[in-house]
Amino acid sequence: MMVCAGGVSLAAPIDEADVAYWRARAECAEVRVEQFQARVEELSEQVAVLSRMLFGRSTEKTGPSRGGGVGPEDRQVPGAGRGRDPGRRGQRPGSKGHGRRDYSHLQTREEIHDVAEADRVCAGCGVVFEPLGTEDSEQIDWQVTITRIVHRRVRCRCPGPRTVSAPVPAKPIGKGRFTAAFLARLLYEKYVLGLPLHRIATALAAEGLEIAEGTLSGVLKDVHALLAPLEQVIATRNAAAGHAHADETGWRVFEQVEGKDTTRWWLWVFVADDTVVFTMDPTRSTAVLARHFLIDRGVGALPEGRRLVLSSDFFTVYQSLARIEGVDPLWCWAHIRRRFIRAGDAHPQLRYWRDQWVHRIALLYLAHRDLATTEPGTDPHRQANQAFEQALADIDTARHEQAASYSLHPAARKVLATLDREWDGLIRHRDFPDIALDNNTAERALRTPVLGRKNYYGAHADWAAHLAARVWTITATAERNHREPLTFLTDYLNACAQAGSKPPNGQALEQFFTWLPTPDDNATSPEPTGATPPDHHAHDRPPP
């Protein structure tokens, strides 16, 4: 310690090394605090978004939003959004009802309920009542009947001796003991209704049929090959379509496959005008798209005269395919809309900003809907086209003005950067007014598989995963062409039985091409999609 002339002590000389050390520690601490704050903000955003997804109301099913925006699904009906409770389900008060449904087509059993003998005489005058007919009412009964069919084939012989027997009954599976109707219902309940095998076995046991889950699994494996030819025809037609919606979701396959270290697989869906194809693949790469649409990525272009319009989200595999000459990508406006909504959910200060953007996109949807439902060349069509172009211009102006603002919130800037990056694919919708602005058609197609995934988690084997995709391909294509899946599967498996426990071919197979017109087909033609609401089935037409 040093002492000055006045007797005041002075501190020891400052060590520059210590100062540098503690300054470095302080700077390091400040950096870590900033990192922790950023992480807290990121997790808060995730909590807000996940809470909205789990507990909030769907932004694509409800009516006009509280912030004044109109969702892409809002219908243009008189009085929409005025005096109407968006949370109320069912028929609206004052609307015209459809009355009771007619069930006269069902198998009918009549039961006569007679008046008791003692009640047929008037208690006042003692005169016997005269018959006045009947008062009729209906009940609907629900019974499940499991039948054991015993086939007794008559045999004959002559003194020769030679023996002849009645032909063997047709079976879908050669040595199997289940009918085509049984197999079709098994496929329907597992893959369309999403029931796991142990629940199906439990339901069968309740009706008197005790059967092991392993037996049902073996039956499914036997059916797998019977469905292959029909799936291949559907996939070939789907791949040649001029327009398709594409999407993918995760799937689990709990079998060790060579070259695959994890159980994570991917279920892809491709929805065309009259076909739907599901593909199960271990990867989430562009190779799946190229393989399905028969695209040679090495060439870098589609064959001359062929074009493919692909509706999808912004995932990198779709962006990679969009670089192929002849492929026109249409990015999903619903996806970009969700990014604005999630930014507002995560940051309360951005909610007004979010509502403004939701309103801009809603006007785009409404104009596109009018554009798709009006006749080209008419005044309403020209007005709708002007409204659509104006909505795009307003969005374009707003994104540039806000991106130039230095005070813009980072989360908002991030969303606008995505909008800017994907702008070309988003505005390309002006060239295809008959195609929906979003990719909700593909997302809806994945609902049935996702229901199954929640109930039985995935597939226990490779073949089971591919069988699931095969059944969904057939049933979804049948539904898209207004065919009832259970009846369709039953008829197809009956055809397999008639073909000698083999898949039908030739004309026998062509009758299951649901896109071909049939003489007794009274189904209406698909409606143009335009801006089809996300909670309704869409039937998109390919571009002209």
Side-chain angles (χ1 to χ4, degrees), residues 277-291:
V277 171
F278 289 86
T279 299
M280 196 74 69
D281 197 88
T283 67
R284 198 186 184 190
S285 69
T286 313
V288 180
L289 293 167
R291 184 167 59 248

Side-chain angles (χ1 to χ4, degrees), residues 268 283-293 295 297 315-324:
W268 297 75
T283 67
R284 198 186 184 190
S285 69
T286 313
V288 180
L289 293 167
R291 184 167 59 248
H292 174 72
F293 290 109
I295 298 175
R297 289 187 293 166
F315 187 50
T316 54
V317 297
Y318 305 113
Q319 293 180 346
S320 177
L321 191 67
R323 300 188 186 101
I324 301 294

Side-chain angles (χ1 to χ4, degrees), residues 363-384:
L363 295 179
L364 182 70
Y365 265 85
L366 297 179
H368 187 271
R369 176 176 302 171
D370 293 338
L371 191 62
T373 55
T374 54
E375 188 69 24
T378 62
D379 288 339
H381 186 81
R382 283 189 290 269
Q383 293 172 2

Side-chain angles (χ1 to χ4, degrees), residues 105 181 184-185 187-189 192-193 230 471 474-493 512 514 521 523:
H105 62 283
R185 185 167 292 278
L187 294 172
Y188 181 81
E189 294 204 356
V192 179
L193 301 185
L230 182 56
V471 175
I474 294 173
T475 55
T477 299
E479 285 186 294
R480 195 157 181 81
N481 292 279
H482 315 287
R483 303 292 182 88
E484 206 288 314
L486 179 58
T487 303
F488 187 79
L489 285 172
T490 303
D491 292 343
Y492 180 79
L493 290 173
F512 298 101
T514 55
D521 188 4

Side-chain angles (χ1 to χ4, degrees), residues 71-281:
E73 72 297 328
D74 297 327
R75 298 179 180 83
Q76 287 292 283
V77 295
R82 300 190 300 271
R84 174 183 177 186
D85 180 8
R88 183 183 179 91
R89 301 181 65 181
Q91 185 173 320
R92 301 293 185 243
S95 63
K96 184 179 179 180
H98 53 72
R100 284 200 167 189
R101 296 184 183 274
D102 180 22
Y103 295 110
S104 58
H105 62 283
L106 296 177
Q107 181 179 348
T108 302
R109 182 182 79 245
E110 292 188 357
E111 295 184 1
I112 305 299
H113 304 274
D114 204 350
V115 180
E117 190 73 28
D119 296 333
R120 296 183 182 180
V121 180
C122 179
C125 61
V127 178
V128 177
F129 289 142
E130 297 180 1
L132 294 178
T134 61
E135 292 183 359
D136 300 336
S137 61
E138 292 184 0
Q139 282 185 308
I140 304 297
D141 192 18
W142 184 359
Q143 296 182 357
V144 178
T145 303
I146 299 178
T147 306
R148 171 174 168 261
I149 303 175
V150 178
H151 298 281
R152 302 191 185 278
R153 297 160 52 211
V154 176
R155 302 176 62 198
C156 304
R157 72 175 182 180
C158 69
R162 297 180 60 186
T163 303
V164 63
S165 303
V168 178
K171 298 180 180 181
I173 301 175
K175 296 184 179 180
R177 60 189 308 175
F178 299 110
T179 64
F182 184 99
L183 298 177
R185 185 167 292 278
L186 177 61
L187 294 172
Y188 181 81
E189 294 204 356
K190 178 169 177 60
Y191 297 110
V192 179
L193 301 185
L195 298 179
L197 281 183
H198 76 269
R199 284 191 192 174
I200 298 176
T202 301
L204 290 173
E207 302 299 333
L209 177 61
E210 296 281 351
I211 189 169
E213 294 178 33
T215 301
L216 296 179
S217 180
V219 169
L220 292 176
K221 191 171 184 179
D222 292 336
V223 174
H224 184 30
L226 296 177
L227 305 177
L230 182 56
E231 180 206 31
Q232 183 58 46
V233 172
I234 294 174
T236 301
R237 181 174 178 82
N238 183 277
H243 169 245
H245 291 267
D247 201 3
E248 79 292 330
T249 187
W251 195 260
R252 297 288 183 181
V253 179
F254 301 99
E255 180 184 20
Q256 291 296 328
V257 179
E258 185 178 356
K260 183 70 173 176
D261 297 331
T262 66
T263 61
R264 186 70 180 269
W265 284 43
W266 298 94
L267 177 66
W268 297 75
V269 63
F270 308 102
V271 184
D273 179 45
D274 51 18
T275 54
V276 183
V277 171
F278 289 86
T279 299
M280 196 74 69
D281 197 88

